[in-house]
Amino acid sequence: MLSKLLRAAVLGAALVTSAPASTAFAAASDYRFELASARPAGPGKTDVTVRLVRVRDGRPVPDAVVFQTRADMAPAGMPTMTGNVAPQPGQQPGTYRFQVDTGMAGGWALTLSAKVQGEPETVRSTVTFNAAQ
Ligand SMILES: [Cu+2]
């Protein structure tokens, strides 16, 4: 009984560790997020709009569910400096808008994980933008 549980735990851990690489690969080949705009939105905040496109024909992809986000200053050599990301309403179809807490001016990366209608793989990609102060 115990060994069965242990085996399940080990298998689970293996699945978890192997998942990001495979999903990132599939996502990169089919869809990607592109930066549409990055505008200052008050002190330490940047309004970031991204466009989700199908790589094959460049068509915008509406109605995706962005379920995970991360903003950090990796482009400026500070990958551990992160900022809160809050989804915002009012986007055009195929674009997705966020307010990012950019407490420091410079290069930022916004990584998004999304579910696309009719696509079993998770789409995961990163856009970079510059935060003004
Ligand atoms: Cu920084």
Side-chain angles (χ1 to χ4, degrees):
M1 186 62 189
L2 182 61
S3 69
K4 210 175 216 174
L5 278 174
L6 272 176
R7 202 163 53 218
V10 168
L11 189 64
L15 285 172
V16 165
T17 50
S18 67
S22 59
T23 54
F25 183 78
S29 62
D30 294 338
Y31 301 91
R32 76 167 163 252
F33 284 98
E34 298 174 343
L35 183 68
S37 67
R39 298 195 176 92
K45 292 185 185 300
T46 305
D47 195 297
V48 179
T49 299
V50 296
R51 186 183 301 110
L52 178 61
V53 298
R54 192 162 58 183
V55 172
R56 177 156 46 92
D57 53 14
R59 286 188 58 175
V61 181
D63 301 325
V65 177
V66 178
F67 65 91
Q68 196 174 56
T69 54
R70 175 189 165 90
D72 62 52
M73 288 197 80
M78 289 171 271
T80 59
M81 187 173 184
T82 58
N84 190 53
V85 182
Q88 303 293 306
Q91 58 269 32
Q92 296 174 307
T95 68
Y96 304 83
R97 201 178 132 227
F98 304 89
Q99 189 166 88
V100 183
D101 288 346
T102 47
M104 185 176 174
W108 284 78
L110 176 61
T111 300
L112 307 125
S113 299
K115 286 293 181 191
V116 174
Q117 307 276 329
E119 172 61 55
E121 300 277 352
T122 292
V123 173
R124 187 167 185 271
S125 79
T126 300
V127 301
T128 58
F129 63 95
N130 200 66
Q133 199 62 316

